[in-house]
Amino acid sequence: MNEKEEPMNMNVTPPVEPVTEFEVPLPPDRKRPKWLVPLIAGGTAVVVLAAVGTGGYLYWNHNQLTAASGECATSYDKAVKAQKKLTEYLESDAVKTAITVKDSEVKDAETVGTLASTVKAAEKTKTTIPECPSGSLTDIKSMTKEIDGLATAYSRTVSEVKGKAEAVNASKLDRIVADATKVLDDSKGRVQDDKVRTALENAIKTKDEKAISDAVKAVNDSIKAKSDADAKAKAEKEKQTASQSQASDNGGNPAGDTTSGYTGYTGGGYTQSQGGGYTYTPQQPTGGSTGGGYTPTPQPTPQQPSQGGNSGSGVSSPWDTGGDVSFCGVLGSDPVPC
């Protein structure tokens, strides 16, 4: 071979293995005891397990905090919604209408007072909902429990107020039905058209407040119409009766009729004349009636006595009284002194 081989260097140092922290270098002249090798290996395993355990706990604790925070957030949202529902219901038309109902409008007045006190208490429960804490798992769980209690209280309060309002409305309807039933019973025979009573009876069966109200109004209007008609008929009848009675009292003669009937007369008699004789005045009717009244019978005119007496026959006349006696009539042919 042309190339020369380099002689091997017998002084080259062999490579040295790295020493770990768990290995203790021994002098070249000493050997490791056999029991030391397993001990070193076990110690290494303990350290590894300890590191793994610490990391696992931290990971588990992080997951617990995350889950607890999520539960608390869910409870918070639920409480907020329950509080909002309570607020909206307290301001609803249903509650506002029920709270204005008076004791006189319901059958059971106690329901009105109960609703008022329930609404007043409900308004005080609308407190601020606390937010969920962070950090301590114990604090998070404790706050979650408190928030859940608030959400439950809000929901329960809504149910209570709703129940009390419905009780008031039900009692009001009971009063309406009772009053309508009384109108139905009292209106029998008093309406102008009985169909309105049938409509009211059907409305009461349905328990519809508006239908009952309309039917009651129709019955009352019909009662008034019949009452007005009856009053008018009664007035006309009384007027006719009074007219007939007045005609009967007048004897069937118009006022001021002077062509019939006797109105009396004035007495007549004898009066002495200036010459000593007597003149007979017949009785006359006082009313000037010429149509069927009383007419006195004409009386004979007495013979006038002579002033010097009867010179023919020598017999004195019965009328001859010397001028001192007045005669008022005659009986037969003889004069009757007054």
Side-chain angles (χ1 to χ4, degrees):
M1 297 180 61
N2 295 327
E3 295 180 1
K4 296 181 179 180
E5 294 180 2
E6 293 180 0
M8 181 177 298
N9 188 359
M10 300 303 295
N11 295 325
V12 176
T13 303
V16 180
E17 296 180 358
V19 179
T20 64
E21 58 180 333
F22 299 106
E23 294 180 348
V24 179
L26 296 176
D29 58 345
R30 291 188 60 181
K31 296 182 179 179
R32 292 187 179 91
K34 295 181 178 180
W35 54 267
L36 183 60
V37 175
L39 178 62
I40 293 173
T44 302
V46 170
V47 173
V48 172
L49 290 175
V52 172
T54 301
Y57 171 77
L58 293 174
Y59 178 77
W60 173 84
N61 187 59
H62 174 74
N63 288 343
Q64 290 292 313
L65 288 173
T66 301
S69 297
E71 291 178 0
C72 186
T74 300
S75 297
Y76 180 84
D77 292 340
K78 183 179 179 180
V80 170
K81 291 179 180 179
Q83 186 187 61
K84 182 179 179 181
K85 185 176 181 180
L86 174 61
T87 301
E88 291 176 349
Y89 187 71
L90 291 176
E91 296 176 355
S92 66
D93 293 338
V95 175
K96 289 181 179 179
T97 301
I99 203 70
T100 58
V101 175
K102 300 178 181 179
D103 295 352
S104 59
E105 297 176 337
V106 296
K107 193 172 184 180
D108 183 5
E110 185 177 353
T111 58
V112 175
T114 302
L115 173 62
S117 60
T118 303
V119 170
K120 186 176 181 180
E123 292 175 345
K124 295 180 179 180
T125 62
K126 295 187 298 181
T127 57
T128 302
I129 302 173
E131 296 184 357
C132 298
S134 60
S136 173
L137 181 63
T138 302
D139 293 343
I140 294 175
K141 288 185 176 181
S142 176
M143 184 59 67
T144 300
K145 184 176 181 180
E146 180 180 347
I147 294 174
D148 284 339
L150 289 175
T152 302
Y154 293 146
S155 298
R156 182 175 59 250
T157 303
V158 170
S159 298
E160 289 179 355
V161 175
K162 185 176 181 180
K164 304 306 180 184
E166 290 176 348
V168 171
N169 293 330
S171 184
K172 180 181 178 182
L173 181 59
D174 290 343
R175 178 62 180 269
I176 291 174
V177 170
D179 292 345
T181 302
K182 188 175 186 303
V183 171
L184 178 65
D185 295 339
D186 294 344
S187 63
K188 186 175 182 180
R190 297 174 54 201
V191 293
Q192 194 173 39
D193 184 0
D194 204 58
K195 291 181 180 179
V196 294
R197 295 186 68 254
T198 302
L200 176 57
E201 184 177 7
N202 293 333
I204 291 174
K205 291 178 181 179
T206 63
K207 290 189 176 181
D208 185 282
E209 183 174 345
K210 186 178 185 306
I212 294 175
S213 178
D214 293 343
V216 167
K217 183 179 184 302
V219 170
N220 288 332
D221 290 345
S222 186
I223 290 175
K224 185 178 184 303
K226 186 177 186 304
S227 177
D228 292 344
D230 292 345
K232 183 177 180 181
K234 182 179 179 181
E236 292 179 352
K237 184 177 181 180
E238 290 177 349
K239 182 178 180 180
Q240 183 179 6
T241 301
S243 178
Q244 293 175 351
S245 177
Q246 182 178 4
S248 177
D249 292 342
N250 291 336
N253 296 323
D257 183 8
T258 59
T259 61
S260 63
Y262 171 71
T263 58
Y265 64 93
T266 58
Y270 290 89
T271 57
Q272 187 175 14
S273 64
Q274 293 180 355
Y278 296 87
T279 303
Y280 173 74
T281 302
Q283 298 172 340
Q284 300 294 332
T286 61
S289 174
T290 60
Y294 170 78
T295 303
T297 303
Q299 298 295 329
T301 302
Q303 183 179 357
Q304 296 295 331
S306 63
Q307 296 179 357
N310 191 349
S311 59
S313 59
V315 180
S316 64
S317 170
W319 298 93
D320 187 8
T321 58
D324 295 332
V325 180
S326 296
F327 296 92
C328 293
V330 292
L331 180 60
S333 58
D334 298 327
V336 177
C338 293

